[in-house]
Amino acid sequence: MTVADLALELRSSRIITDFFIKKQRETNRKVIYLANKLATMEKMENEWAEAKSSLTAVQADLQRTKESLGQTLNELAETKSSLEIVKTDLRGTAETLTQTRNELAEKQLSIEAVKTHLEDFSTDATAKLLALEGKIDGIATTSTTAEVSTNIGRLPGSCEDLKLIGYTKSGLYSVMGITKVETVYCDFTAPAGAPVLQKLIGYQDIKSKPVYFYVQKTQHYSSSFVPIPYERTIINSGGAMDAASGRFTAPVKGTYFFSFTGLAQFSVSNAPLREFNVMLYRNGQPVARSQLNEVNGIANSNYVSPLVLQTALTLQVGDKVWVQSDLINGGFLFDNNDARCTHFNGWLLEEEIATSL
C-alpha cells in the first residue's frame, strides 16, 4: 500500500471519526435535553401533588365552613324564636302590670273607703263604750246580791267546794278525790240553796315525778339467793334503781309495773333434770316466779332457754323490789358485751297523788 492510499484511508478514518463525534455530541445534547425534560416533569408532578393536597384541604375547610354556617343559621333561628317568646312574655308582663296598676288603684280607693268607715265606727264605738261603762258603774254600785269567794284552806274536792271558792260558770273542773285527781262536770245553774249537780267524767294521770328505769347485764351470772346486779344502765329517770345492788326503791306511793327477761344456758349433761328459776321480791318476800325445767339431758352446750317475768305491784314509799334466783342446777344467765340478753325494767303506772300533796 502506497503512501497515497494510507493518506486516503487516514482521511476517510478522520471523516468517520468526526461524524461519530458529531453524532455523539448530538446524542449527548438530546440526553441532556431529555434529562431536563424529565426533571421538569418530576417537578411538575410534585407541584401537582402539592396542589392536589392543598385543594383537598381547601375542600375540607369549605365543608367545615359550610357545617359551621348551617349551625350558625340554626342558632340564629333558635335565637329568633327565643326573642319572639321573650317579646310575647314582655307584652304579657306589660299587660299584667297595667292590670295590677288598675287593681291597686281600685284597692286604694277601697282602703280609703274602709278607713273612712273605720273612723266613723271608732267614733260610734267610743260613744257606746262610754255609755256601757256608765251602766257597769251603776250596776256595781247598786248590786247587793254579788257572791263573795271563800278560802276553804284545802284543795277543792267537789263542785260544792268550787262554788265556795267562787266558781259560778258550769263546765269541766279538776278536783281532788280520795286518792286521785278527778275530772268532774259542775252545773252551777241550780237554784240558790239547792246542791250543785256533779258528774264524774274520769281520772287524771298526774305524777309528782317521773319514775322509770331499764338496766342490762353484760356478764354471765350463776349466783343464787342474792339480788341480781346489772352492769349497764340504759335509763334511770328518778334515780330509783340501783343497778350495782340490783334493788329498786319506790320513791312515791302508787302502782308500778316490772318486767324481767333473760336467757338460761345449761352445760352438756345426761342428768334427767336441770332447773333454773328467777323470782321477783318485794321487801324480802317473793311475789312472782319464772322457772325452767330441762329434762332428759342436755346434748348441746349452745342450748339456751328464755326466762320471762312480768308483774304489777302497789308499793309504799321506800318499798324495795329486786329479782334473784333461788334455784340453779347446772346453768347460768348467758350475757356478754356483745350479747346482752338479761333485761330488767320498770316504771310508775299510777301514783296515789293525794299522799304526795
Side-chain angles (χ1 to χ4, degrees):
M1 178 178 292
T2 64
V3 174
D5 293 332
L6 289 171
L8 180 61
E9 185 175 352
L10 181 60
R11 188 180 299 113
S12 297
S13 298
R14 184 177 297 165
I15 293 170
I16 293 171
T17 300
D18 292 338
F19 175 78
F20 279 108
I21 291 171
K22 184 179 180 180
K23 289 295 184 180
Q24 180 68 37
R25 290 175 178 171
E26 291 177 357
T27 301
N28 289 338
R29 285 196 298 271
K30 289 181 180 180
V31 169
I32 292 171
Y33 174 79
L34 290 175
N36 291 334
K37 286 289 185 180
L38 182 61
T40 301
M41 291 181 65
E42 289 178 352
K43 182 178 180 180
M44 291 179 63
E45 185 175 358
N46 292 333
E47 291 177 351
W48 170 251
E50 292 177 358
K52 185 177 180 181
S53 176
S54 298
L55 181 61
T56 302
V58 170
Q59 288 179 341
D61 290 340
L62 288 174
Q63 181 63 31
R64 287 193 294 271
T65 302
K66 182 179 178 180
E67 293 175 355
S68 178
L69 287 174
Q71 183 178 358
T72 302
L73 288 174
N74 292 333
E75 292 176 352
L76 287 174
E78 293 177 358
T79 302
K80 182 179 179 181
S81 178
S82 300
L83 288 174
E84 291 295 332
I85 294 174
V86 170
K87 184 178 178 181
T88 303
D89 292 341
L90 288 174
R91 189 181 297 112
T93 302
E95 294 175 354
T96 302
L97 288 173
T98 301
Q99 181 179 357
T100 302
R101 184 168 57 246
N102 295 334
E103 291 176 354
L104 287 174
E106 293 176 359
K107 290 185 180 297
Q108 186 174 3
L109 294 175
S110 300
I111 290 172
E112 291 295 334
V114 171
K115 182 179 179 181
T116 302
H117 178 71
L118 286 175
E119 290 174 351
D120 296 338
F121 176 78
S122 176
T123 302
D124 184 60
T126 302
K128 290 181 178 179
L129 182 60
L130 291 174
L132 182 60
E133 288 177 349
K135 291 181 179 179
I136 292 174
D137 291 340
I139 293 173
T141 303
T142 58
S143 176
T144 58
T145 60
E147 296 185 8
V148 180
S149 61
T150 303
N151 183 1
I152 62 175
R154 55 182 168 77
L155 290 175
S158 65
C159 293
E160 289 288 351
D161 289 347
L162 293 174
K163 184 177 180 180
L164 289 174
I165 293 173
Y167 286 87
T168 58
K169 183 178 290 187
S170 299
L172 295 177
Y173 292 93
S174 297
V175 297
M176 188 66 242
I178 298 175
T179 60
K180 304 177 183 66
V181 176
E182 301 174 353
T183 298
V184 296
Y185 175 77
C186 298
D187 183 359
F188 293 114
T189 62
V196 178
L197 175 62
Q198 175 175 316
K199 182 178 181 180
L200 176 64
I201 302 301
Y203 299 94
Q204 298 185 22
D205 184 17
I206 298 178
K207 299 179 177 69
S208 60
K209 64 178 67 177
V211 182
Y212 47 91
F213 71 90
Y214 174 28
V215 293
Q216 296 177 333
K217 286 197 66 59
T218 60
Q219 301 173 5
H220 291 345
Y221 185 79
S222 59
S223 299
S224 56
F225 300 107
V226 292
I228 298 174
Y230 305 90
E231 292 76 38
R232 190 165 185 259
T233 299
I234 306 301
I235 191 169
N236 188 17
S237 182
M241 179 63 193
D242 183 0
S245 68
R247 290 183 173 87
F248 170 84
T249 304
V252 296
K253 181 180 180 181
T255 302
Y256 295 78
F257 180 82
F258 298 94
S259 174
F260 176 92
T261 58
L263 287 179
Q265 185 172 16
F266 295 92
S267 57
V268 176
S269 172
N270 293 323
L273 178 62
R274 284 286 183 261
E275 300 168 290
F276 198 117
N277 76 7
V278 289
M279 302 185 67
L280 187 79
Y281 276 77
R282 175 180 56 189
N283 297 332
Q285 299 298 319
V287 293
R289 174 192 188 103
S290 177
Q291 180 165 331
L292 293 174
N293 289 341
E294 299 294 344
V295 298
N296 299 327
I298 304 296
N300 191 330
S301 61
N302 294 321
Y303 179 77
V304 293
S305 295
L307 286 162
V308 179
L309 187 62
Q310 294 180 337
T311 188
L313 294 175
T314 298
L315 302 179
Q316 304 293 326
V317 176
D319 282 354
K320 296 186 181 299
V321 176
W322 65 87
V323 177
Q324 70 181 45
S325 176
D326 291 348
L327 180 60
I328 299 178
N329 179 11
F332 56 89
L333 287 176
F334 175 80
D335 288 285
N336 56 50
N337 281 325
D338 296 325
R340 295 183 288 271
C341 303
T342 302
H343 312 269
F344 184 34
N345 52 57
W347 57 89
L348 175 63
L349 290 175
E350 185 177 67
E351 181 180 354
E352 290 192 16
I353 195 67
T355 61
S356 301
L357 300 176

